[in-house]
Amino acid sequence: MRHLDFIIIPNLAQIYGRIYIYFIEVESYGMKGKLIVFEGVEGAGKTTQMQRLIHWLQLSCFQKVRLVATREPGGTELGKGLRHLLLKQDPGESVSDVAELLMYAADRAQHVETFLKPELSKGTIVLCDRFTDSTIAYQGYGRNLNLNLIKQLNAIATGGLESDLTLWLDINVEEGLARVRARGERDRIEQAHLQFHKRVQQGFTELAEENQSRIFRIDADRPEDAIAQEIQGIVSHKLAAWGYLK
Ligand code: T5A
């Protein structure tokens, strides 16, 4: 059995206030990378499960693979500024729905162009906390903006890049919000009214129905270990199918 060789830059998690762990490969893999996305409503456990998946991949990969973790909004320097503007509790004036949509699109365009595409072209496995489905669910279903327009905007921002696998952590909205409340301070979007979050949840539900080969539903209202094990099963199956595990 061969082990993944990696270098960890240890303090990025603290710098970004949450996961942003980065492994560096010691050998080029020579194939196109894969984009694995975590999606779900507030407090579904995406961050928790991404960290656990990284840890598991680090221990169990059989080949030398470059692996990075990132997020939207906020995966680039520009994105960090946009994230602050989008999520701060008291923006000083109400943020219009269209302005919000365009800021998420700008964050994504920068992220795709300067980070995701270069990484994927090196053969990297990229784990990303939220991507295009969040815009459809939050701005489309949640804010009631035009879905076709959002799909076009997503296409412009991504240049056609799509996730190879999306893990949708499905949890009852009230339960997710209760977890967020228990954690402490809530950001601008977490403070939105319950009906908004329910519409977002409906968006994820319909997206999963429409994209069954890409989106895997995970019951996230379970203990962390059970969720992590299911995710590991799905990801190892995919990695084998993609030729990463031999
Ligand atoms: N957004 C984003 C849009 O509106 N449009 C877009 O296009 C995009 C890309 C991002 C915000 O931007 C919006 C969506 C978001 O509102 P964010 O901080 O990245 O902001 O928000 P979230 O992704 O929702 O992050 P959260 O931290 O709120 O939720 P997570 O990551 O799903 O949950 P996590 O892992 O932090 O866990 C939350 C709490 O629950 C506990 C954890 O310990 C933690 O305290 N927990 C569990 N408790 C019990 N059982 C389990 N199984 C648990 N798993 C975790």
Side-chain angles (χ1 to χ4, degrees):
M1 178 171 116
R2 285 184 290 163
H3 290 281
L4 177 70
D5 290 326
F6 57 89
I7 301 164
I8 302 176
I9 301 174
N11 289 323
L12 283 174
Q14 281 106 330
I15 292 167
Y16 289 93
R18 53 187 281 165
I19 53 162
Y20 206 88
I21 303 165
Y22 203 99
F23 305 91
I24 296 179
E25 96 277 39
V26 292
E27 187 177 278
S28 169
Y29 194 72
M31 62 190 284
K32 190 187 169 298
K34 297 292 174 191
L35 178 58
I36 300 177
V37 174
F38 285 72
E39 292 281 11
V41 296
E42 312 296 317
K46 298 176 302 300
T47 310
T48 305
Q49 292 299 329
M50 255 179 81
Q51 279 174 319
R52 293 187 66 132
L53 183 61
I54 289 164
H55 184 63
W56 178 78
L57 284 168
Q58 178 187 330
L59 294 175
S60 62
C61 262
F62 291 83
Q63 294 198 344
K64 293 170 181 174
V65 180
R66 181 178 169 91
L67 171 66
V68 300
T70 184
R71 67 175 171 183
E72 290 191 359
T76 63
E77 283 304 312
L78 179 71
K80 276 188 267 174
L82 289 167
R83 180 182 174 89
H84 174 70
L85 293 171
L86 280 161
L87 299 183
K88 67 178 173 179
Q89 279 185 352
D90 178 13
E93 61 185 341
S94 69
V95 179
S96 85
D97 292 349
V98 174
E100 180 183 275
L101 170 67
L102 294 174
M103 283 199 279
Y104 281 112
D107 169 76
R108 179 160 305 127
Q110 183 74 359
H111 192 214
V112 168
E113 195 59 31
T114 67
F115 186 79
L116 295 181
K117 281 188 174 172
E119 284 298 338
L120 292 167
S121 72
K122 289 180 209 160
T124 305
I125 293 177
V126 180
L127 305 186
C128 189
D129 194 340
R130 300 193 179 279
F131 196 51
T132 47
D133 292 336
S134 275
T135 318
I136 294 174
Y138 279 80
Q139 280 65 53
Y141 286 77
R143 303 287 191 218
N144 288 315
L145 294 178
N146 183 288
L147 285 175
N148 285 329
L149 186 73
I150 292 174
K151 285 176 188 166
Q152 284 174 41
L153 204 50
N154 273 343
I156 292 169
T158 60
L161 178 68
E162 292 178 349
S163 91
D164 295 288
L165 167 65
T166 298
L167 299 161
W168 168 39
L169 298 189
D170 183 17
I171 192 167
N172 174 284
V173 167
E174 284 98 336
E175 173 61 27
L177 289 172
R179 287 182 186 174
V180 170
R181 265 195 303 276
R183 192 174 52 188
E185 247 180 30
R186 291 178 299 154
D187 65 38
R188 186 179 65 86
I189 293 187
E190 284 163 355
Q191 288 175 349
H193 56 83
L194 185 61
Q195 285 314 313
F196 167 81
H197 293 289
K198 289 195 166 172
R199 290 198 299 275
V200 171
Q201 177 74 320
Q202 182 61 25
F204 283 123
T205 305
E206 290 186 23
L207 277 164
E209 277 164 14
E210 287 161 17
N211 299 276
Q212 293 184 12
S213 59
R214 174 175 65 83
I215 301 179
F216 283 66
R217 177 190 173 273
I218 317 275
D219 177 0
D221 193 6
R222 289 182 293 163
E224 280 182 33
D225 281 353
I227 300 167
Q229 272 176 27
E230 185 177 354
I231 289 175
Q232 287 159 15
I234 294 168
V235 170
S236 52
H237 181 78
K238 283 286 179 183
L239 288 175
W242 293 332
Y244 281 90
L245 302 179
K246 292 200 174 126

